[in-house]
Amino acid sequence: MKTLLLDDGDLVLGSGSFETVTGPTKLRQDLSYAMREPIGTDRFHPGWGSILPSLVGEPITDTLLTRVEGEVRRVLDNYVVVQRDRMSRDRRSGQPSRFTSGEVIDTVKAVSVRPDWDRVHVRADILTLTADEVVVFTVRG
């Protein structure tokens, strides 16, 4: 499914129209924005987003690192559930899937959380149905 390309939250203009993305690039963009958007701020999708923005400024402790990793895994799990639900609805209605195989999460290989002075680096390694490796980074300061 095509979606609009964003660059630091801004739409990207192409030649005469807005740029779009599909495949692994779309997946990376979706997950990156899901982790950075405060949960509950989208009135049409109240479950979209994460609590990660609310953790900014918290002391970096083992408890915080565990919470960050758990929240990243929750966002990834939620995204998988939404994808499967939408693909199932598409199949039942006889519509083509709204996702390309390169956008569908097959496996979350790893989630790593690493403290770095006053920041927390998060890396999620994901494998799509087309065996593309997608890496999503986020930094919380």
Side-chain angles (χ1 to χ4, degrees):
M1 170 172 67
K2 286 184 184 178
T3 194
L4 294 170
L5 176 62
L6 300 172
D7 181 16
D8 200 25
D10 295 326
L11 293 171
V12 176
L13 288 173
S15 55
S17 66
F18 294 111
E19 292 289 326
T20 59
V21 290
T22 59
T25 304
K26 177 195 178 299
L27 177 61
R28 185 179 301 105
Q29 177 177 289
D30 285 353
L31 293 172
S32 176
Y33 278 94
M35 289 182 205
R36 290 187 285 159
E37 183 174 332
I39 194 165
T41 56
D42 186 332
R43 66 181 175 161
F44 298 109
H45 304 283
W48 177 259
S50 78
I51 66 165
L52 293 176
S54 70
L55 300 177
V56 172
E58 293 287 324
I60 298 176
T61 63
D62 289 342
T63 300
L64 177 74
L65 298 176
T66 301
R67 287 180 68 197
V68 168
E69 181 180 349
E71 180 62 3
V72 169
R73 289 186 182 278
R74 186 199 66 78
V75 169
L76 294 171
D77 290 346
N78 185 50
Y79 195 86
V80 168
V81 167
V82 168
Q83 280 186 326
R84 288 182 181 161
D85 179 58
R86 288 181 178 168
M87 288 186 299
S88 178
R89 281 190 279 155
D90 290 343
R91 266 193 308 274
R92 284 194 309 269
S93 67
Q95 299 294 319
S97 177
R98 65 186 83 197
F99 299 102
T100 67
S101 297
E103 296 166 1
V104 178
I105 295 174
D106 180 48
T107 308
V108 175
K109 292 173 58 177
V111 174
S112 61
V113 178
R114 179 179 56 85
D116 181 24
W117 294 93
D118 62 345
R119 298 179 183 275
V120 175
H121 296 269
V122 178
R123 176 181 168 134
D125 293 276
I126 299 160
L127 199 61
T128 68
L129 289 178
T130 53
D132 290 304
E133 289 198 34
V134 176
V135 178
V136 180
F137 291 101
T138 190
V139 177
R140 289 287 127 217

